[in-house]
Amino acid sequence: MDIVKGGLAAAALTLGTAGMVLVGSAESVASAQESPRAGVLVVATTGADRGSCRMQACATLGYALTQAGAGDRIVIEPGTYAEVGDANVVAPALTGLSITSAGGARNTVIDASGNATGLRIEASGVSVGGLTVENAKLEGILAEPPMSSWPATPASPPANLTGVTIAGNIVTGNDQAYDTKLPPTAACPSSLTDADDCGEGIHLLGVSRSRVIGNEVDHNVGGILVSDGGFGIAVGPAAHNLIAGNLSLDNAFDCGITLPGHDPFGVATSGPNTGQPQPAIAGVYDNIVIHNVSDGNGGAGLLDAAPYPGAASYDNVFAGNSASGNGNAGFTLHAHAPEQDVNGVSVVENRFGANNLLGDPDTGVTASTGIMLLSVAVPTSTVIAGNRVSDDVNGIAANDLVTVRGHNFFSDVTNPLVTYTPPAA
């Protein structure tokens, strides 16, 4: 547990630093608007899309992004801004770009109706804060390497972004392409990598050493997603990220915060290293999910999962979170195939109320459950310690391939620890 505690201390320090960065950004925005200066572009409802957006405001974020350079700051005045033609793309050359609002998220709205995403980030070192992003067909905010950099063959180098910060935003009512009349795996055919959920409200895809902090993510298909690829599509690792202090609420069809290994090269599936993780190539690992609230979602409150051979989501820490009223368990671990890795996941000092309200078809457990653990083919060891579970039939439910380590606290729980047999595949 010393490693876990060390990770939590580092996360707390990082979260505190992030808060100071956000305060500094707000002060800088205010001073930037007093007089135009190099490196600051302004967007306003009274602006016009001409010129550089430095001496006079432009009218749309999409146009401002065409005028910006690396390290610039785009300041958006209060108002509602309609995205047109999927124009809100932070291009790969715009490293270190900052996008902030002058009046806060509730007064600064990006309306992405009819567009794929509200904002797509394809550059490292980018920060986005103080916006409401709504009505996109897919993700509200998506950070991913440009598709031209995705590996074309198993021998190609992975793609990756680093140093992205998404903080203090409201991401609501996105995933509009999701078709509730279709089965989940086909419900969002317009999403390349996540056909079952449209990519959630905020999505880090092939992104490492980045932060998603203090956002409110609600009424999307799902909340916050951190992945390394999708449905057999390789992108690159999603590692060393901090997901902290977010509200993920009432995302009706998927999970609140999801860390699935989707890249098929996260674990070697052939050769002398079969079954071993390949962190330089792929995998979702060493991420910290701390002090979030994930309530009322259609899937799990918090999920760590690997769906098929080669997938990996391991050594992730879930700590100090709260999850209640979710369709699946408050925390869920799903490992569905051989030659995957979901070991080393730590679930510590969280609070779980009544969860698994819709039952879990993958485990066959229909009773309310705080923590659900499943591995159908690979022996898996997980730290579950110091959690407080209340108002459930089952506190912790695990099948016999999962080793649970740690002590927990239960209140109004019928079965603190139950071993179940999953249904035949």
Side-chain angles (χ1 to χ4, degrees), residues 33 40-49 52-54 56-65 73-82 88 99-102 108-110 131:
Q33 291 183 293
V40 178
L41 296 80
V42 177
V43 177
T45 57
T46 56
D49 284 344
S52 68
C53 308
R54 288 174 169 82
Q56 62 180 20
C58 53
T60 63
L61 173 59
Y63 179 80
L65 287 166
R73 174 170 299 173
I74 298 176
V75 178
I76 306 177
E77 296 276 5
T80 297
Y81 300 86
N88 292 348
I99 302 173
T100 59
S101 68
T108 313
V109 179
I110 303 298
L131 305 178

Side-chain angles (χ1 to χ4, degrees), residues 151-219:
T153 70
S156 301
N160 206 233
L161 297 183
T162 60
V164 174
T165 298
I166 300 171
N169 302 283
I170 299 171
V171 183
T172 184
N174 297 285
D175 298 330
Q176 292 291 320
Y178 190 85
D179 188 342
T180 59
K181 298 184 295 295
L182 294 175
T185 54
C188 196
S190 55
S191 175
L192 176 64
T193 58
D194 289 284
D196 66 338
D197 57 22
C198 300
E200 320 287 28
I202 296 176
H203 188 178
L204 301 185
L205 174 63
V207 175
S208 296
R209 302 188 184 280
S210 295
R211 301 177 296 178
V212 178
I213 302 173
N215 301 280
E216 180 178 326
V217 187
D218 63 78
H219 296 93

Side-chain angles (χ1 to χ4, degrees), residues 39 41 54 65 67-73 90-98 123-124 126:
L41 296 80
R54 288 174 169 82
L65 287 166
Q67 302 302 304
D72 280 351
R73 174 170 299 173
V90 182
L94 296 179
T95 55
L97 180 76
S98 172
S124 292
V126 171

Side-chain angles (χ1 to χ4, degrees), residues 6-307:
L8 295 182
L13 177 61
T14 305
L15 181 55
T17 303
M20 290 186 286
V21 169
L22 288 175
V23 171
S25 297
E27 293 170 350
S28 299
V29 168
S31 63
Q33 291 183 293
E34 293 174 1
S35 60
R37 60 189 178 92
V40 178
L41 296 80
V42 177
V43 177
T45 57
T46 56
D49 284 344
R50 59 175 180 266
S52 68
C53 308
R54 288 174 169 82
M55 298 305 296
Q56 62 180 20
C58 53
T60 63
L61 173 59
Y63 179 80
L65 287 166
T66 68
Q67 302 302 304
D72 280 351
R73 174 170 299 173
I74 298 176
V75 178
I76 306 177
E77 296 276 5
T80 297
Y81 300 86
E83 182 185 2
V84 178
D86 294 319
N88 292 348
V89 179
V90 182
L94 296 179
T95 55
L97 180 76
S98 172
I99 302 173
T100 59
S101 68
R106 299 197 182 278
N107 300 310
T108 313
V109 179
I110 303 298
D111 183 354
S113 297
N115 293 269
T117 55
L119 178 65
R120 189 167 82 247
I121 301 165
E122 296 186 344
S124 292
V126 171
S127 63
V128 176
L131 305 178
T132 289
V133 183
E134 62 185 21
N135 300 328
K137 293 167 65 178
L138 306 176
E139 296 96 339
I141 302 176
L142 167 65
E144 67 176 15
M147 287 184 62
S148 61
S149 68
W150 294 9
T153 70
S156 301
N160 206 233
L161 297 183
T162 60
V164 174
T165 298
I166 300 171
N169 302 283
I170 299 171
V171 183
T172 184
N174 297 285
D175 298 330
Q176 292 291 320
Y178 190 85
D179 188 342
T180 59
K181 298 184 295 295
L182 294 175
T185 54
C188 196
S190 55
S191 175
L192 176 64
T193 58
D194 289 284
D196 66 338
D197 57 22
C198 300
E200 320 287 28
I202 296 176
H203 188 178
L204 301 185
L205 174 63
V207 175
S208 296
R209 302 188 184 280
S210 295
R211 301 177 296 178
V212 178
I213 302 173
N215 301 280
E216 180 178 326
V217 187
D218 63 78
H219 296 93
N220 309 283
V221 162
I224 298 170
L225 175 63
V226 179
S227 68
D228 54 353
F231 290 90
I233 299 171
V235 180
H240 316 297
N241 296 299
L242 175 65
I243 313 298
N246 302 282
L247 301 177
S248 187
L249 310 173
D250 300 316
N251 299 289
F253 298 99
D254 218 301
C255 303
I257 300 175
T258 312
L259 274 62
H262 279 169
D263 192 314
F265 303 118
V267 170
T269 57
S270 62
N273 297 320
T274 296
Q276 297 300 308
Q278 303 184 118
I281 299 174
V284 179
Y285 58 89
D286 197 28
N287 299 286
I288 295 177
V289 180
I290 183 171
H291 297 324
N292 303 279
V293 175
S294 185
D295 292 348
N297 301 289
L302 312 168
L303 176 71
D304 190 290

